[in-house]
Amino acid sequence: MRRAVARDAKRLTRLVRTSSAYEGPYAPMIAGYRVGPDYIEAHRVFVALGPDDRVLGFHALILSPPELDLMFVADAAQGLGVGRLLIAHMRGEARAAGIDRVRIVSHPPAEGFYLGVGARRTGTVRARPPAVMWDRPELELPTEQR
């Protein structure tokens, strides 16, 4: 795990755009999406790399207000514990910044994962057409594991 740098932008964008989690009805949300160098420099973006320097996943934490803005795991790395590693790392970053809980607006199919790592549902974020055509679960994740 390391802090992302501006030159990672293209690889992170590719991971987002090729995510099978956003196929079908969810495709419009990431169509044209870009993780830019400016975004990486403005937020706490960390990348999980494999031994071959391949991007396995990444997370982006916004500190104010505290929110997990992005988290993606490469399709080939699904089921290997990368998501849990990213969450554990994000929690540590948030705690180090003095944050005790982080908001997550989840991709609907990912809600079960977030509940499984200790988040609790706090509400629903309504659809915002045309980019987001569906309601999304809103969760809160304590930075201390229980």
Side-chain angles (χ1 to χ4, degrees):
M1 184 80 65
R2 69 161 169 79
R3 183 92 185 238
V5 294
R7 71 177 179 274
D8 291 320
K10 286 183 182 178
R11 295 197 305 167
L12 301 185
T13 296
R14 188 175 322 111
L15 192 155
V16 170
R17 289 186 181 176
T18 60
S19 174
S20 63
Y22 284 86
E23 292 177 341
Y26 299 114
M29 186 171 179
I30 60 166
Y33 194 88
R34 181 177 163 267
V35 179
D38 53 336
Y39 180 88
I40 291 170
E41 291 174 7
H43 303 295
R44 293 190 184 201
V45 181
F46 287 84
V47 60
L49 298 171
D52 58 356
D53 201 41
R54 185 172 41 103
V55 174
L56 301 178
F58 75 97
H59 75 76
L61 174 64
I62 295 175
L63 296 180
S64 183
E67 182 169 352
L68 177 62
D69 190 42
L70 296 171
M71 188 173 113
F72 281 83
V73 174
D75 288 349
Q78 297 283 327
L80 301 177
V82 175
R84 289 185 180 277
L85 173 71
L86 291 166
I87 287 293
H89 186 270
M90 184 275 302
R91 278 180 151 146
E93 285 294 309
R95 276 193 311 273
I99 296 167
D100 65 348
R101 65 194 75 250
V102 175
R103 177 181 187 240
I104 300 170
V105 178
S106 178
H107 179 47
E111 181 181 14
F113 167 78
Y114 291 117
L115 293 171
V117 295
R120 68 176 184 83
R121 181 125 188 211
T122 58
T124 301
V125 175
R126 297 287 170 218
R128 289 189 345 250
V132 182
M133 301 298 289
W134 58 92
D135 293 344
R136 294 168 292 157
E138 181 176 28
L139 305 113
E140 185 176 84
L141 180 71
T143 59
E144 293 291 335
Q145 275 188 294
R146 299 176 202 253

